[in-house]
Amino acid sequence: MSSARSLSGFIWVAAALSGGGCGDASLVVLSQDLSPGKVVPTKHLHSGCGGSNQSPQVTWSGSVPSTVLSYAVSFVDQTSSNKIHWLVYDIPISEFALASNITSAPAGATIGPNDFGSGYRGPCAVTGESHILEVKVWAVRNA
């Protein structure tokens, strides 16, 4: 892995959203592929940075109100004007994970647009830069 192209500073955040917010949800976000504060593995970087452009595996657990209808997952570069690298929404409430390297949405879910088009677009730092990336899992209810 080229350290000049590596992205460090990984922040894990679990949040809830519904219209005005869903503050009574409590989620824990984990990944087999990513570790908080560690360098993002090369396979998750954009191919232009020597990576394989594979989306990371993400799991979540916790309690959400009965009004929650689905989940959404976002992967955002906090350092680059909050650029969205990945967005998956309408994830059924019965699901608690996204597999690594998905190329199509899980049943019932939708892979949304990002700041580079659609699908997963791995991050790619300019030589010498470190970026802070944030994964959020949103509990979504009907507003």
Side-chain angles (χ1 to χ4, degrees):
M1 174 178 8
S2 168
S3 61
R5 294 287 192 170
S6 299
L7 302 181
S8 60
F10 217 93
I11 298 174
W12 288 101
V13 176
L17 173 73
S18 69
C22 187
D24 46 354
S26 177
L27 298 172
V28 175
V29 181
L30 301 170
S31 176
Q32 296 172 352
D33 296 330
L34 305 168
S35 298
K38 302 294 182 187
V39 173
V40 175
T42 302
K43 68 181 180 179
H44 302 298
L45 298 179
H46 187 266
S47 55
C49 285
S52 299
N53 210 45
Q54 295 181 12
S55 61
Q57 181 269 358
V58 179
T59 62
W60 56 93
S61 62
S63 61
V64 294
S66 60
T67 55
V68 170
L69 300 176
S70 65
Y71 295 107
V73 174
S74 62
F75 186 72
V76 177
D77 186 338
Q78 297 280 306
T79 310
S80 291
S81 303
N82 293 317
K83 288 198 185 285
I84 298 170
H85 287 268
W86 193 31
L87 176 64
V88 184
Y89 60 92
D90 287 338
I91 302 168
I93 196 71
S94 59
E95 298 292 324
F96 298 97
L98 291 175
S100 181
N101 196 27
I102 64 170
T103 56
S104 60
T110 301
I111 296 178
N114 61 42
D115 282 313
F116 309 94
S118 63
Y120 175 79
R121 203 297 194 151
C124 186
V126 175
T127 301
E129 283 187 1
S130 291
H131 286 230
I132 297 173
L133 302 168
E134 179 179 58
V135 173
K136 282 188 179 181
V137 176
W138 305 82
V140 183
R141 67 179 179 193
N142 195 1

